[in-house]
Amino acid sequence: MEKVSRKAYCPVDYAFQRIGGKYKGRILWYLKDGVLRYGELKRIVEGITPKMLTQTLKELEADGLVTRKVYLEVPPRVEYGLTETGLELIPFINQMRIWGEKQMAKG
């Protein structure tokens, strides 16, 4: 899949273009423990529509963060997993999770 070309103004901008938004961080976080099927992601990512899930997964794949494997079966089976680059993001997403928990606890 071809990488999406977006002009980044600094490294932070570059990073947030790839993991920012409402769903990308959560999808990456859910994939940290291994491969998930499309239907599993649809169930665990609360509030996401099928169209948005498909679009977000395509963007993550284009950015080299997620792999997509299609099995030629009936019904079709599609699995998603993290690339090495995607795995590198998990410690940072975990730090954001910890920060979020602290802020939520403050009420």
Side-chain angles (χ1 to χ4, degrees):
M1 183 169 262
E2 188 175 313
K3 270 198 169 177
V4 178
S5 100
R6 294 173 280 201
K7 173 102 170 120
Y9 297 97
C10 72
V12 173
D13 182 39
Y14 180 88
F16 274 101
Q17 282 182 19
R18 273 124 197 104
I19 64 166
K22 192 171 182 179
Y23 302 108
K24 287 182 179 180
R26 285 195 277 166
I27 290 170
L28 292 170
W29 183 252
Y30 293 134
L31 290 172
K32 77 183 182 316
D33 295 322
V35 171
L36 290 173
R37 293 175 67 172
Y38 179 88
E40 293 171 311
L41 284 167
K42 192 169 66 170
R43 278 191 297 281
I44 61 176
V45 181
E46 290 185 29
I48 197 167
T49 64
K51 179 182 175 183
M52 183 57 68
L53 177 59
T54 299
Q55 178 183 326
T56 304
L57 287 167
K58 283 181 181 179
E59 289 173 8
L60 289 167
E61 184 182 9
D63 285 333
L65 302 175
V66 168
T67 60
R68 178 178 186 261
K69 185 171 183 180
V70 179
Y71 294 87
L72 300 176
E73 301 175 350
V74 177
R77 177 170 51 124
V78 181
E79 294 180 339
Y80 295 89
L82 293 178
T83 63
E84 286 298 317
T85 304
L87 281 168
E88 290 176 18
L89 287 168
I90 297 305
F92 302 101
I93 295 170
N94 189 46
Q95 286 300 311
M96 288 191 290
R97 179 192 62 80
I98 292 167
W99 179 85
E101 284 178 350
K102 287 179 184 176
Q103 299 310 307
M104 290 171 75
K106 290 179 182 177

